[in-house]
Amino acid sequence: MNRRLLSSLLCCSMLAVSVSLSGCGSKKHKSPEAVFEAAKSAMADEDMEGFMNCLTPESQDLLAGAMVMLGTMMKGLAALGGEDADAQQSMSKIGKVLEDHGLTEDAMKKMEGADESDPASAMKRLVEPVKDKAAFVGDMFEVFSGMEDGAAVQKDFQFKGTLKDIKIDGDSASAVLEDGGTSDPFQFKKVKGSWLIHLDPSELAGGFPGN
């Protein structure tokens, strides 16, 4: 999955209006196509928690870590609003979600000095306090959706396209996602008997979100 698609997924954090209980959940997906369709359905329903459950554990770390960085950035921007009531409310909501999921200021200090050349390890280290990463991302999405900056993000993104050239090699699979004349590589892994979408950590090698 390339940087363009991963960036689009992060932009969806600004668009989610609600989190439901549909999507991938605890279902076992018998093929890469099955989990891809489940992820598409979850995204169409704006079910970010359900979408997260379509990802491998490593990918959940990656996306949850990116949400921590994005939330921290948005919290900082809200702080620049000074006494503005909306800015203060946004900052308070983001801070509450972070703290509710174990991401206190002390925990956040663990990110200091992280090796950005290894984003997977850095993100895993950052989200260690988070017990339920899918719920955390869903909660962050809800906060972002109510922010003025969130409304400014392009609103027509959908997790869509058609999978082509699916190649399975043991517990790994690769494919090409074709959509509107563009083609993006796509990865899957089988975890505990279920196929899941695998995000490539190297997509963040150029720097973490917000940097």
Side-chain angles (χ1 to χ4, degrees):
M1 183 180 296
N2 71 3
R3 183 180 297 275
R4 181 180 67 82
L5 188 52
L6 181 57
S7 297
S8 295
L9 290 176
L10 296 180
C11 286
C12 278
S13 66
M14 304 296 190
L15 307 181
V17 176
S18 62
V19 176
S20 65
L21 297 178
S22 60
C24 296
S26 59
K27 299 177 182 177
K28 286 188 177 295
H29 305 285
K30 297 182 179 180
S31 67
E33 297 96 328
V35 70
F36 178 75
E37 291 302 322
K40 283 175 63 175
S41 177
M43 192 66 77
D45 291 339
E46 296 178 338
D47 175 11
M48 300 301 109
E49 186 172 350
F51 177 81
M52 278 285 286
N53 285 320
C54 293
L55 305 180
T56 61
E58 298 90 344
S59 300
Q60 288 196 17
D61 286 344
L62 185 68
L63 193 53
M67 288 301 98
V68 174
M69 300 301 292
L70 182 59
T72 302
M73 180 189 72
M74 296 298 290
K75 186 178 177 181
L77 290 175
L80 295 177
E83 299 299 322
D84 181 78
D86 289 338
Q88 290 297 319
Q89 185 178 44
S90 296
M91 185 167 61
S92 177
K93 288 181 178 179
I94 292 174
K96 185 177 186 306
V97 171
L98 292 173
E99 291 191 6
D100 284 351
H101 287 276
L103 295 165
T104 62
E105 289 188 10
D106 287 341
M108 295 290 286
K109 289 180 180 179
K110 294 175 64 177
M111 193 59 180
E112 295 179 2
D115 183 4
E116 293 192 10
S117 66
D118 187 358
S121 295
M123 291 301 189
K124 183 176 182 178
R125 176 184 172 190
L126 176 62
V127 299
E128 279 180 358
V130 181
K131 302 301 182 184
D132 188 338
K133 297 178 181 66
F136 165 67
V137 171
D139 289 345
M140 290 296 286
F141 284 175
E142 283 196 295
V143 173
F144 290 148
S145 70
M147 296 176 65
E148 182 178 352
D149 289 336
V153 178
Q154 184 178 359
K155 295 184 178 181
D156 61 353
F157 173 80
Q158 293 181 1
F159 188 72
K160 57 185 180 180
T162 303
L163 286 179
K164 300 285 188 180
D165 300 327
I166 300 172
K167 299 177 181 178
I168 297 177
D169 182 10
D171 289 340
S172 298
S174 63
V176 175
L177 178 62
E178 295 185 353
D179 177 42
T182 63
S183 297
D184 294 311
F186 219 88
Q187 298 180 34
F188 302 88
K189 285 188 176 182
K190 184 182 282 188
V191 179
K192 296 181 179 179
S194 180
W195 284 100
L196 298 171
I197 295 170
H198 185 67
L199 304 178
D200 186 354
S202 67
E203 298 300 340
L204 293 181
F208 295 142
N211 283 0

